């Protein structure tokens, strides 16, 4: 074994640096492939298929490939350190502004990134990146720190040593961030991850890249889609109080007021995994049919988190309500976010839904084991499982139980669906009910539209990934995938929580399929079926509406197939 390693080392030393890196990547990928093949076997004991793409599997593959590169590259540079070292002090390196770095995002202009105040030209490394070209290009023209925070594999001295080889300059010390304009109501908004696809800055609305969205069953907080209607409020948690209006005629005339401490100590803690989806998810596909009004969301306005807090029904009970309280039909939620006129965001859900033991409506103060982030409602928000995201009011300040729905614009004149022939001259928002539960949904997250895909050289297969979800607690029971535009269909493997009763979280899915040898361009389609056998419509046009909401048509992705000519 030792002799073999020495022979391999000699052979590698005869190659150029890019050739050596590619050789290490190839060897590592082959090792990962062999291991993954063994994981595909069906378990005789359980009758279930081993999930070789479970949490961390992707990172493990990257670790192996990257580790090979780093070990060899570090060894090479140590051996040749004295002869090849070009020790240049940062004092003498060119200085660049961040605006100049942002101009370098493609090979023709060179691909630059920054780290710890230094500038690196990584153009020659992009194709060699073990984590994939698409992942590293997400950081092009910007800082590496936010991305390395997501992928712990990079927190290594070896990685930093390799990165230094690509250094071309430093960030100018005069490049300071502009001071905040405190007259701007959005000046207090939190910082966001640069990988997000921004649909509007003020208010901030953004979605994660699809290929990152389904890397994990639980969406990391920084990647969870952001849907804000107004500026993010700055709330002192020590002074925060939730106000809950009492029933008419209650002995205690004054509203119930609860601090964060009260909520955490007076009521039982409850956790639930819930997928939230914006009603405008996939609106861009409706825009392609005919222009609609609203943010141009792709398929990323959906995410999943583990929420913790207290049950809404427990708080309402403490305020004096029972399931039989007369003359109440709705529970209104009022946020602490407001516009310049003082108008606050508001929404409501049916009272019976709020009081149901099965529906698990939550007043949440934690998200994925952490304090609620500012963008997601710190210090308190409503989580209404199975219901459109607009009713999951953030920065919750007041709860009102009433005979009427919320009178807010977002309940009465928004988030409603209409006939395709209704336009802005004829629309009557009072004629349609407010959206609550959402229809069955699915989308393809990998490959990306327009991507050039390369089938496996051994079996000609490609891997297709995506998500599927349905509102109202209906479980996804099947996802069908077609690689020939809908002529034939295959059933994907599903990954998700095992839960009895109502199911609030999505299912991730994956399919490994063989592409016919003659195909050079293919259209991949997915469609989901839920536990009530609701199915997605095949096209967008019949469900088009002027607000571009409720798009759940079959999701289509067209790609080019690249084949090895050797």
């Amino acid at each position: 074994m030792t002799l073999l390693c020495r022979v391999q080392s000699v052979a590698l030393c005869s190659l150029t640096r890019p050739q050596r890196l590619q050789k290490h990547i190839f060897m590592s990928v082959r090792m990962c492939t062999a291991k993954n093949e063994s994981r595909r076997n069906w378990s005789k004991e359980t009758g279930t298929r081993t999930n070789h793409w479970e949490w961390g599997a992707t990172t493990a593959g990257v670790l192996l490939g990257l580790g090979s590169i780093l070990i060899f590259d570090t060894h090479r540079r140590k051996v040749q350190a004295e002869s090849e070292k070009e020790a240049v002090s940062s004092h003498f390196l060119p200085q660049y502004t961040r605006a100049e770095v942002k101009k370098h995002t493609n090979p023709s202009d060179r691909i630059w990134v920054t780290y710890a105040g230094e500038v690196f030209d990584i153009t020659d490394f992009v194709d060699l990146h073990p984590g994939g070209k698409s992942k590293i290009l997400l950081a092009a023209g910007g800082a590496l720190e936010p991305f390395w925070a997501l992928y712990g594999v990079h927190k290594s001295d070896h990685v930093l040593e390799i990165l230094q080889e690509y250094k071309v300059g430093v960030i100018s010390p005069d490049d300071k961030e502009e001071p905040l304009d405190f007259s701007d109501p959005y000046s207090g908004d939190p910082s966001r991850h640069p990988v997000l696809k921004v649909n509007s800055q003020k208010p901030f609305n953004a979605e994660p890249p699809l290929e990152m969205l389904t890397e994990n069953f639980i969406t990391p907080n920084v990647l969870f889609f952001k849907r804000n209607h107004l500026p993010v409020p700055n709330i002192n948690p020590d002074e925060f109080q939730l106000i809950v209006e009492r029933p008419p005629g209650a002995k205690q005339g004054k509203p119930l007021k609860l601090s964060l401490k009260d909520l955490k100590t007076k009521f039982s803690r409850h956790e639930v995994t819930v997928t939230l989806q914006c009603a405008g998810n996939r609106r861009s596909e409706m825009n392609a049919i005919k222009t609609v009004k609203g943010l141009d969301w792709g398929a990323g306005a959906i995410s999943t988190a583990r929420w913790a807090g207290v049950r809404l029904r427990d708080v309402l009970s403490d305020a004096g309500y029972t399931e039989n309280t007369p003359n109440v039909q709705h529970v209104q939620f009022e946020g602490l976010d407001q516009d310049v006129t003082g108008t606050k965001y508001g929404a409501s859900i049916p009272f019976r839904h709020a009081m149901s033991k099965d529906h698990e409506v939550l007043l949440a103060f934690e998200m994925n084991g952490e304090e609620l982030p500012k963008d997601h409602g710190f210090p308190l928000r409503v989580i209404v499982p199975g219901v459109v995201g607009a009713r999951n009011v953030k920065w919750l300040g007041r709860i009102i139980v009433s005979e009427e729905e919320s009178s807010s614009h977002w309940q009465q004149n928004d988030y409603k669906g209409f006939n395709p022939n209704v336009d802005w001259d004829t629309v009557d928002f009072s004629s349609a009910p407010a959206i609550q539960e959402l229809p069955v949904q699915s989308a393809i997250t990998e490959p990306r539209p327009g991507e050039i895909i390369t089938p496996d050289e051994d079996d000609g297969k490609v891997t297709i990934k995506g998500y599927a979800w349905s509102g109202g607690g209906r479980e996804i029971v099947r996802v069908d995938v077609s690689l020939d535009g809908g002529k034939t269909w295959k059933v994907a493997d599903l990954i998700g929580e095992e839960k009895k009763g109502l199911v609030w979280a999505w299912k991730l899915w994956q399919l490994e399929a063989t592409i016919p040898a003659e195909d050079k361009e293919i259209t991949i389609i997915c469609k989901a079926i839920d536990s009530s056998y609701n199915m997605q419509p095949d096209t967008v046009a019949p469900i088009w509406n002027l607000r571009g909401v409720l798009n759940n048509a079959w999701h289509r992705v067209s790609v080019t197939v690249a084949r090895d000519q050797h």
Side-chain angles (χ1 to χ4, degrees):
M1 187 66 178
T2 304
L3 178 59
L4 176 60
C5 292
R6 289 177 179 173
V7 171
Q8 289 177 336
S9 297
V10 171
L12 285 169
C13 288
S14 65
L15 302 174
T16 64
R17 180 173 182 272
Q19 287 173 330
R20 289 196 296 269
L21 292 175
Q22 288 176 328
K23 183 68 175 178
H24 276 283
I25 293 171
F26 174 75
M27 293 167 63
S28 298
V29 169
R30 295 296 296 166
M31 291 172 66
C32 286
T33 302
K35 289 185 178 181
N36 280 341
E37 280 298 325
S38 66
R39 294 189 183 117
R40 292 173 189 162
N41 296 325
W42 290 83
S43 171
K44 295 180 180 178
E45 291 80 7
T46 63
T48 56
R49 192 174 186 179
T50 302
N51 172 27
H52 65 271
W53 63 298
E54 62 189 0
W55 331 141
T58 301
T59 303
V62 173
L63 270 168
L64 186 58
L66 186 60
S68 297
I69 294 171
L70 297 178
I71 292 170
F72 177 79
D73 207 59
T74 302
H75 173 72
R76 177 192 65 82
R77 285 185 294 105
K78 285 181 178 179
V79 171
Q80 301 179 1
E82 294 302 322
S83 60
E84 296 184 3
K85 185 177 181 182
E86 296 179 1
V88 180
S89 169
S90 295
H91 178 73
F92 299 105
L93 285 173
Q95 295 183 356
Y96 301 100
T97 64
R98 288 181 174 82
E100 289 175 314
V101 174
K102 286 181 181 179
K103 297 177 182 178
H104 295 271
T105 58
N106 57 71
S108 60
D109 297 322
R110 308 297 293 176
I111 298 169
W112 288 9
V113 295
T114 67
Y115 183 78
E118 297 178 326
V119 182
F120 305 90
D121 182 344
I122 61 169
T123 311
D124 298 332
F125 182 72
V126 166
D127 288 331
L128 306 174
H129 183 239
K133 181 176 180 179
S134 63
K135 294 277 176 55
I136 196 170
L137 286 178
L138 292 171
L144 288 174
E145 283 92 338
F147 298 90
W148 286 12
L150 285 174
Y151 300 102
V153 63
H154 297 97
K155 297 175 182 178
S156 162
D157 291 340
H158 297 302
V159 175
L160 294 176
E161 288 176 9
I162 285 186
L163 186 63
Q164 287 300 312
E165 196 163 322
Y166 296 94
K167 185 161 68 176
V168 295
V170 296
I171 294 294
S172 170
D174 297 327
D175 185 27
K176 306 290 185 181
E177 292 186 6
E178 294 184 6
L180 292 177
D181 176 8
F182 291 103
S183 64
D184 180 358
Y186 294 93
S187 63
D189 274 18
S191 60
R192 284 93 179 196
H193 200 285
V195 77
L196 297 174
K197 174 183 175 281
V198 179
N199 290 315
S200 74
Q201 284 285 358
K202 299 178 181 182
F204 189 81
N205 290 282
E207 59 190 296
L210 287 181
E211 62 269 28
M212 297 181 75
L213 179 59
T214 51
E215 283 186 334
N216 301 290
F217 179 76
I218 298 294
T219 312
N221 290 355
V222 295
L223 295 183
F224 202 102
F225 83 97
K226 311 292 190 292
R227 179 59 176 114
N228 296 338
H229 296 85
L230 299 164
V232 175
N234 187 23
I235 302 168
N236 184 340
D238 295 328
E239 298 176 358
F240 169 82
Q241 281 191 321
L242 172 67
I243 299 173
V244 185
E245 299 293 342
R246 296 188 185 274
K251 293 181 179 179
Q252 305 96 328
K254 295 182 179 180
L256 173 65
K257 296 183 178 180
L258 298 166
S259 67
L260 274 181
K261 182 179 180 181
D262 292 334
L263 288 165
K264 294 178 180 180
T265 57
K266 288 183 63 176
F267 306 97
S268 298
R269 176 187 172 89
H270 186 67
E271 293 188 6
V272 60
T273 303
V274 177
T275 295
L276 297 185
Q277 181 184 208
C278 178
N281 192 35
R282 300 177 57 196
R283 181 180 280 130
S284 58
E285 297 165 49
M286 284 196 173
N287 261 326
I289 301 295
K290 182 181 176 182
T291 303
V292 299
K293 182 179 179 181
L295 298 169
D296 197 37
W297 292 107
I302 182 172
S303 301
T304 298
R306 183 74 176 171
W307 309 91
V310 299
R311 293 178 185 270
L312 173 60
R313 68 186 309 272
D314 291 346
V315 173
L316 292 179
S317 296
D318 193 54
Y321 295 95
T322 70
E323 294 180 10
N324 300 316
T325 298
N327 303 319
V328 293
Q329 298 293 328
H330 303 275
V331 179
Q332 301 182 26
F333 306 115
E334 186 179 274
L336 294 172
D337 50 332
Q338 59 185 10
D339 63 16
V340 293
T341 68
T343 301
K344 297 180 178 180
Y345 184 84
S348 59
I349 63 172
F351 178 73
R352 66 179 184 281
H353 197 135
M355 294 296 289
S356 167
K357 294 180 180 179
D358 295 331
H359 281 80
E360 301 183 272
V361 182
L362 207 65
L363 301 183
F365 40 73
E366 287 183 12
M367 179 180 181
N368 293 332
E370 301 176 1
E371 185 179 74
L372 269 180
K374 285 189 69 175
D375 259 329
H376 296 290
F378 175 81
L380 189 71
R381 74 171 299 174
V382 185
I383 294 296
V384 191
V387 165
V388 64
R391 313 302 170 215
N392 294 254
V393 176
K394 297 186 281 188
W395 311 291
L396 182 64
R398 182 183 296 269
I399 298 175
I400 303 169
V401 181
S402 65
E403 290 190 71
E404 303 81 23
E405 285 186 316
S406 168
S407 62
S408 78
H409 162 81
W410 298 277
Q411 188 80 23
Q412 300 299 326
N413 298 307
D414 203 350
Y415 296 114
K416 295 183 177 184
F418 294 94
N419 181 289
N421 288 338
V422 172
D423 59 29
W424 288 101
D425 293 326
T426 60
V427 64
D428 176 9
F429 275 94
S430 65
S431 67
I435 298 170
Q436 293 287 345
E437 297 178 0
L438 287 175
V440 61
Q441 174 71 278
S442 71
I444 300 161
T445 58
E446 292 186 57
R448 303 181 313 280
E451 185 175 344
I452 300 174
I453 61 174
T454 304
D456 185 272
E457 61 181 15
D458 293 330
D459 56 17
K461 290 185 176 181
V462 296
T463 300
I464 305 163
K465 296 181 180 181
Y467 65 76
W469 179 77
S470 191
R474 293 179 289 274
E475 184 177 13
I476 295 297
V477 297
R478 198 177 80 234
V479 173
D480 297 334
V481 182
S482 173
L483 277 74
D484 55 12
K487 296 177 183 177
T488 61
W489 299 88
K490 300 179 183 299
V491 178
D493 295 323
L494 301 179
I495 297 297
E497 283 190 336
E498 294 297 326
K499 184 177 184 291
K500 295 181 179 180
L502 299 175
V503 176
W504 308 122
W506 62 11
K507 290 289 179 66
L508 302 185
W509 58 264
Q510 176 172 306
L511 176 71
E512 292 184 355
T514 302
I515 298 177
E518 65 276 7
D519 287 353
K520 296 181 180 179
E521 306 282 339
I522 65 170
T523 297
I524 307 170
I525 302 174
C526 73
K527 59 183 176 75
I529 296 89
D530 69 20
S531 54
S532 294
Y533 279 97
N534 295 311
M535 302 183 188
Q536 297 175 248
D538 59 348
T539 56
V540 176
I543 58 174
W544 183 95
N545 58 85
L546 78 171
R547 280 291 284 115
V549 294
L550 304 171
N551 179 19
N552 70 325
W554 295 356
H555 192 225
R556 292 169 165 82
V557 170
S558 296
V559 298
T560 300
V561 182
R563 299 189 183 277
D564 192 348
Q565 301 299 318
H566 301 290

